[in-house]
Amino acid sequence: MEGDRRTSPPTQSLLPDSHLVLWTLCSVLLPVFITFWCSLQRSRRQLHRRDIFRKSKHGWRDTDLFSHPTYCCVCAQHILQGAFCDCCGLRVDEGCLKKADKRFPCKEIMLKNDGRVADAMPHHWIRGNVPLCSYCAVCKQQCGSQPKLCDYRCIWCQKTVHDECMKSSLKNEKCDFGEFKNLIIPPGYLTSINQMRKNKKTDYEALASKFGKQWTPLIILANSRSGTNMGEGLLGEFRILLNPVQVFDVTKTPPVKALQLCTLLPNHSVRVLVCGGDGTVGWVLDAVDEMKIKGQEKYIPQVAVLPLGTGNDLSNTLGWGTGYAGEIPVAQVLRNVMEADGIKLDRWKVQVTNKGYYNLRKPKEFTMNNYFSIGPDALMALNFHAHREKAPSLFSSRILNKAVYLFYGTKDCLVQECKDLNKKIELELDGERVELPNLEGIIVLNIGYWGGGCRLWEGMGDETYPLARHDDGLLEVVGVYGSFHCAQIQVKLANPFRIGQAHTVRLILKCSMMPMQVDGEPWAQGPCTVTITHKTHALMLYFSGEQSDDDISSASDQEDLKDAE
């Protein structure tokens, strides 16, 4: 009995320990279970949302936070997150998504009723979430000022009307497509085109004559991966202002296919806005050249540029600026396109033939719009591209990209990998051999700008040189003494070594491996012969409203030169 009494207390002491273990397990496992259950529910909602997105005629996109006060178009409640249509501008809460998809129609790319024509299309009104600083078309007072779902907006002409000003006459009123009617492809026009194709008729000019000569439909070609990754957001903003059928993401629809829309539009009237870097512009111009090969010259469009890349030298030359970061609204971009003037741009064929008796490969061919170079700037571009391919997500900032270029330029100042270039190459301008000083690089220019905004040919100082033109059939050839010399040129502390101008440039690399680039696309090249000849012209749009200090000073220098003559 005494032994039993002695052993019982340890048994009773185990009970509190077991309760402690149980509560500890609960405190650890319960949060894990709740987290797992929440993630499971979140994944189910995402699958449900994606299923609605896939089947819907709306261009739904979800967001974790709206950028300005937003109200659900179904329940009229204030929402911080949800979904929005990047075609018609509807904004809804996640729980109201299915109802909104059934209740509200999106923009019609083509009219369902063939009886309706383009000049009899009524307004398509959507209630609530009107743009800030918009004014009523009836009473001219500000719309959307109340903190609730109120007022109407037409998704075609962008007119806004107060709830109390909305009348039955406005609901049935004909829509004139508003400020950008000369850029929009009306749904009724595409319906008529479809009917004509069924009847095997191709007289599109007679149909287009109803819209007048001032109708210059615009096609948007945006690269959603360019530069700062702004392309995807711009696609939605353009779809809201225009017909979604005329807005393309070139990463999903190649320019060759997108530009076939030009064949359904009036001859010599289409304009194209390329949203991307100089590489995207070159891609589109190559597609335009393919249209010429197919015999579609009368459908060739004029090309404008919205710069989203890093260098953007071509867009800077054409007056569109050094880079777009949303500083002006998309509506103003469309106004600039309407005001732009048509010009020509020389395009050049760069043929690289490898050296060797037993070389059976075809020569490599490139098309040059901006410049060709061999030497330190090509080496910087080669190093930059090599690292960007390894980690592309780290190179989404224009400022960071330029900082990486600066790093490799500083490194080459110390290493000098391209020294004694004059001993490794021979240069011919229009068939005449040119003696070279001790250089590290040679740059062949087609446009006025180089290196992200530097006017290389004109330079600085008292020496007067004629302005470099991009439509005169001439190339400007300059030399640089190294990476440090390139940096001095960019900050206007030095001039390049001007070699001359020519219609044809021939460069022979006699030995060793050297970095080369064409329009920012670099590669390492062994002994070869590089021949640059004129290929064709491209029809571009020049906007005179974007002029830098270099443009103004260069223009004044040219006027002084004319006065002196």
Side-chain angles (χ1 to χ4, degrees):
M1 292 293 292
E2 291 180 358
D4 294 341
R5 290 175 183 174
R6 290 175 183 174
T7 57
S8 58
T11 305
Q12 293 177 356
S13 64
L14 290 175
L15 292 176
D17 293 339
S18 61
H19 285 298
L20 181 61
V21 171
L22 181 62
W23 282 111
T24 303
L25 288 174
C26 289
S27 63
V28 172
L29 294 178
L30 186 60
V32 173
F33 174 77
I34 293 175
T35 303
F36 176 76
W37 183 83
C38 290
S39 63
L40 182 63
Q41 294 299 317
R42 189 182 300 111
S43 62
R44 285 180 179 177
R45 288 198 304 269
Q46 288 177 351
L47 290 174
H48 177 68
R49 193 163 57 242
R50 288 175 186 172
D51 186 58
I52 295 176
F53 288 1
R54 181 173 53 85
K55 296 178 181 178
S56 176
K57 293 183 179 181
H58 286 276
W60 293 117
R61 290 176 58 195
D62 51 2
T63 179
D64 293 329
L65 182 66
F66 288 108
S67 58
H68 53 80
T70 304
Y71 300 88
C72 177
C73 291
V74 177
C75 65
Q77 297 297 316
H78 180 262
I79 54 176
L80 295 176
Q81 60 182 9
F84 66 95
C85 175
D86 64 358
C87 293
C88 66
L90 272 178
R91 285 168 167 78
V92 295
D93 186 28
E94 182 180 345
C96 301
L97 182 59
K98 195 170 184 179
K99 291 181 181 178
D101 194 60
K102 293 180 179 180
R103 185 181 302 179
F104 301 105
C106 194
K107 271 187 174 180
E108 290 182 322
I109 293 175
M110 297 174 59
L111 297 180
K112 296 179 182 178
N113 185 5
D114 292 343
R116 290 188 291 171
V117 293
D119 56 359
M121 181 176 173
H123 289 290
H124 186 158
W125 299 104
I126 284 183
R127 187 163 184 259
N129 301 308
V130 299
L132 300 175
C133 300
S134 57
Y135 292 88
C136 178
V138 178
C139 68
K140 309 304 179 184
Q141 298 298 315
Q142 187 172 354
C143 288
S145 57
Q146 301 181 43
K148 64 177 183 178
L149 187 75
C150 62
D151 304 336
Y152 290 87
R153 175 182 62 89
C154 175
I155 61 177
W156 285 105
C157 65
Q158 309 304 320
K159 282 183 180 178
T160 54
V161 180
H162 287 125
D163 290 332
E164 54 270 19
C165 296
M166 176 62 72
K167 304 174 182 177
S168 59
S169 58
L170 276 175
K171 291 183 178 180
N172 299 321
E173 185 183 55
K174 179 180 69 175
C175 181
D176 62 356
F177 295 99
E179 181 183 2
F180 304 116
K181 61 184 178 182
N182 291 330
L183 301 180
I184 294 174
I185 302 175
Y189 177 82
L190 295 176
T191 303
S192 302
I193 290 288
N194 191 38
Q195 190 63 36
M196 291 177 68
R197 295 180 72 177
K198 288 180 180 179
N199 298 331
K200 297 182 179 180
K201 297 179 181 180
T202 57
D203 188 16
Y204 302 150
E205 287 292 325
L207 180 62
S209 62
K210 299 178 182 178
F211 301 94
K213 294 182 179 180
Q214 71 277 7
W215 186 44
T216 54
L218 178 67
I219 297 175
I220 306 293
L221 301 179
N223 189 340
S224 58
R225 300 175 185 172
S226 281
T228 56
N229 297 323
M230 289 187 62
E232 190 172 353
L234 287 171
L235 284 166
E237 295 188 57
F238 282 119
R239 290 190 185 107
I240 287 177
L241 295 175
L242 305 172
N243 191 333
V245 77
Q246 58 194 106
V247 182
F248 298 92
D249 183 353
V250 294
T251 62
K252 299 177 181 177
T253 305
V256 174
K257 291 185 178 180
L259 290 177
Q260 289 305 303
L261 181 59
C262 297
T263 60
L264 305 179
L265 298 169
N267 300 343
H268 308 294
S269 66
V270 181
R271 296 189 169 196
V272 170
L273 177 62
V274 180
C275 307
D278 289 344
T280 306
V281 178
W283 188 12
V284 173
L285 294 181
D286 289 340
V288 172
D289 287 344
E290 289 192 32
M291 293 179 66
K292 296 177 183 178
I293 296 173
K294 294 177 182 177
Q296 298 175 343
E297 289 88 352
K298 61 182 180 180
Y299 303 116
I300 297 299
Q302 294 177 308
V303 180
V305 184
L306 186 64
L308 302 181
T310 301
N312 303 313
D313 291 305
L314 179 57
S315 67
N316 203 9
T317 300
L318 298 175
W320 297 101
T322 57
Y324 179 77
E327 61 274 7
I328 62 173
V330 170
Q332 184 60 46
V333 173
L334 296 180
R335 295 185 193 104
N336 295 345
V337 173
M338 290 193 291
E339 296 172 4
D341 301 316
I343 60 170
K344 289 184 177 181
L345 172 72
D346 290 325
R347 304 193 76 211
W348 302 81
K349 181 176 76 172
V350 180
Q351 183 172 293
V352 181
T353 306
N354 292 325
K355 199 173 181 181
Y357 293 104
Y358 301 102
N359 182 30
L360 301 179
R361 296 179 182 177
K362 291 183 179 181
K364 293 186 289 186
E365 287 191 3
F366 304 89
T367 300
M368 184 185 80
N369 302 313
N370 300 0
Y371 39 74
F372 163 86
S373 70
I374 176 173
D377 67 324
L379 178 62
M380 286 186 283
L382 183 62
N383 290 329
F384 174 82
H385 278 257
H387 282 78
R388 186 167 68 172
E389 288 179 359
K390 293 179 182 178
S393 60
L394 299 178
F395 295 85
S396 59
S397 169
R398 190 178 291 124
I399 296 176
L400 178 61
N401 294 348
K402 291 186 178 181
V404 174
Y405 268 103
L406 177 63
F407 168 76
Y408 285 118
T410 306
K411 177 184 175 183
D412 187 60
C413 289
L414 303 174
V415 180
Q416 292 184 322
E417 295 184 30
C418 304
K419 63 181 179 180
D420 298 328
L421 180 67
N422 56 304
K423 299 178 182 179
K424 302 174 183 177
I425 67 169
E426 294 179 2
L427 180 66
E428 296 178 3
L429 301 183
D430 289 335
E432 295 185 6
R433 175 87 176 270
V434 178
E435 294 296 328
L436 299 173
N438 187 17
L439 298 173
E440 287 192 23
I442 291 176
I443 303 168
V444 182
L445 298 159
N446 177 47
I447 60 177
Y449 284 97
W450 164 85
C454 174
R455 294 198 74 95
L456 193 60
W457 177 252
E458 291 84 3
M460 54 165 290
D462 298 330
E463 295 180 88
T464 55
Y465 278 81
L467 287 175
R469 296 183 59 87
H470 45 266
D471 58 354
D472 57 356
L474 282 173
L475 294 167
E476 288 74 35
V477 185
V478 300
V480 293
Y481 298 110
S483 296
F484 186 69
H485 186 211
C486 290
Q488 287 179 310
I489 293 171
Q490 288 188 322
V491 295
K492 301 181 182 180
L493 293 178
N495 286 327
F497 176 78
R498 298 179 182 87
I499 299 173
Q501 292 178 301
H503 297 89
T504 303
V505 175
R506 189 165 180 259
L507 186 148
I508 302 171
L509 178 60
K510 297 182 288 186
C511 60
S512 75
M513 187 80 68
M514 292 293 294
M516 296 183 181
Q517 71 160 336
V518 174
D519 291 352
E521 299 297 326
W523 74 96
Q525 178 65 48
C528 67
T529 300
V530 180
T531 307
I532 306 177
T533 55
H534 192 269
K535 180 180 180 181
T536 184
H537 284 102
L539 301 178
M540 309 298 291
L541 287 171
Y542 178 83
F543 179 61
S544 57
E546 284 282 345
Q547 280 196 331
S548 64
D549 295 338
D550 288 338
D551 292 325
I552 297 171
S553 62
S554 297
S556 62
D557 291 343
Q558 191 177 35
E559 290 177 1
D560 294 341
L561 183 61
K562 289 180 180 179
D563 294 338
E565 292 174 353

